Amino acid sequence: MLETRALTAAYGQFRALFGVDITLAAGETVAIIGANGAGKSTLLRSITGVLRNAPDMVLHRGEPIGALPPEIVMRRGIAMVPEGRKLFPSLSVEENLLIGGQVRRAPGPWSLAAIYDLFPILQAKRLAPGTSLSGGQQQMVAIGRALMSNPEVLLCDEISLGLAPVVIRDIYAALPAIKSTGTAVIVVEQDIARALSVADRVYCMMEGRVTLTAPAQGVTRAEIHQAYFGGAA
């Protein structure tokens, strides 16, 4: 479904990624973990076209997309829930959701009704300004906005950041329903236990490189520690 091959990325003279190889199969959930500065968000920006690369460094269904602009990548079925949510402050909850539907692919499982079934609180708040909601509710809007495009690949960047544990639980409880539609998911997360609980496989990154690839349910604490910090557990 999605693959990076020897992916590199830089911000000016600063190199952020060094030859990153990852794969994502149809319907699979992959967690990408690592400390701040590991390159996780840069990886997602490269996949979505925010950072341009050589065409064959990112493949979608076997076709090179590394040099495509973000709007074309999204129309191909790759949507991102950005870190910090980035809702439109002048729009209501429902208007924010409808923005995602402006680039809808072929008919799929997600509509306003489906989003409201997934996150019922959003229907009650649908006329409120998007940024007037709590942080957790805003995250639900950001996820719903991405789903409204009916993506086959959903990229989630730090969706638990700054949220209370009970809210994080509710956000993550929605992921099985999303996966059940056949959507493949990449979850970038610093909460390792939470990420592993929903993932099929895990990649760990450190300083712009992949340091571990493993089944999420079979990886050990010592392996994660070594990959995360580069030292002995």
Side-chain angles (χ1 to χ4, degrees):
M1 178 65 72
L2 187 69
E3 182 180 4
T4 67
R5 292 181 178 174
L7 176 62
T8 62
Y11 300 96
Q13 298 300 311
F14 174 73
R15 181 67 65 85
L17 297 180
F18 300 84
V20 172
D21 296 321
I22 70 164
T23 61
L24 177 70
E28 185 181 34
T29 298
V30 163
I32 300 177
I33 61 174
N36 283 334
K40 307 183 302 297
S41 293
T42 299
L43 172 61
L44 296 194
R45 293 187 186 111
S46 296
I47 291 171
T48 56
V50 175
L51 292 176
R52 303 288 184 87
N53 302 281
D56 59 357
M57 284 186 177
V58 184
L59 303 176
H60 175 229
R61 293 189 171 275
E63 298 179 6
I65 65 168
L68 296 180
E71 61 270 21
I72 301 301
V73 173
M74 189 170 185
R75 289 185 186 280
R76 289 184 61 96
I78 301 173
M80 184 160 77
V81 183
E83 181 181 348
R85 301 177 282 275
K86 295 182 172 59
L87 302 185
F88 296 98
S90 63
L91 301 182
S92 69
V93 166
E94 189 159 295
E95 288 167 338
N96 268 280
L97 294 173
L98 289 172
I99 285 290
Q102 296 299 307
V103 290
R104 291 174 71 86
R105 296 170 59 247
W110 296 107
S111 62
L112 273 178
I115 299 301
Y116 291 149
D117 283 344
L118 185 67
F119 298 122
I121 187 62
L122 297 187
Q123 185 166 24
K125 302 275 189 177
R126 66 188 184 87
L127 299 181
T131 51
S132 72
L133 274 59
S134 69
Q137 291 166 358
Q138 289 186 41
Q139 191 64 275
M140 294 174 187
V141 177
I143 294 171
R145 180 180 60 188
L147 291 174
M148 282 289 289
S149 67
N150 278 316
E152 60 183 18
V153 176
L154 182 68
L155 310 178
C156 299
D157 194 3
E158 302 282 11
I159 56 175
S160 70
L161 190 64
L163 301 181
V166 65
V167 177
I168 296 171
R169 182 197 64 200
D170 292 342
I171 294 290
Y172 268 85
L175 289 183
I178 295 170
K179 185 176 178 179
S180 72
T181 67
T183 304
V185 182
I186 293 180
V187 177
V188 163
E189 185 61 88
Q190 290 194 55
D191 185 333
I192 298 174
R194 185 73 65 179
L196 294 180
S197 72
V198 298
D200 300 300
R201 290 186 301 118
V202 59
Y203 291 91
C204 185
M205 296 182 65
M206 183 174 65
E207 297 179 349
R209 296 175 171 85
V210 173
T211 53
L212 174 70
T213 305
Q217 304 310 310
V219 67
T220 68
R221 179 180 176 183
E223 289 171 330
I224 291 175
H225 193 285
Q226 174 66 29
Y228 210 94
F229 299 108

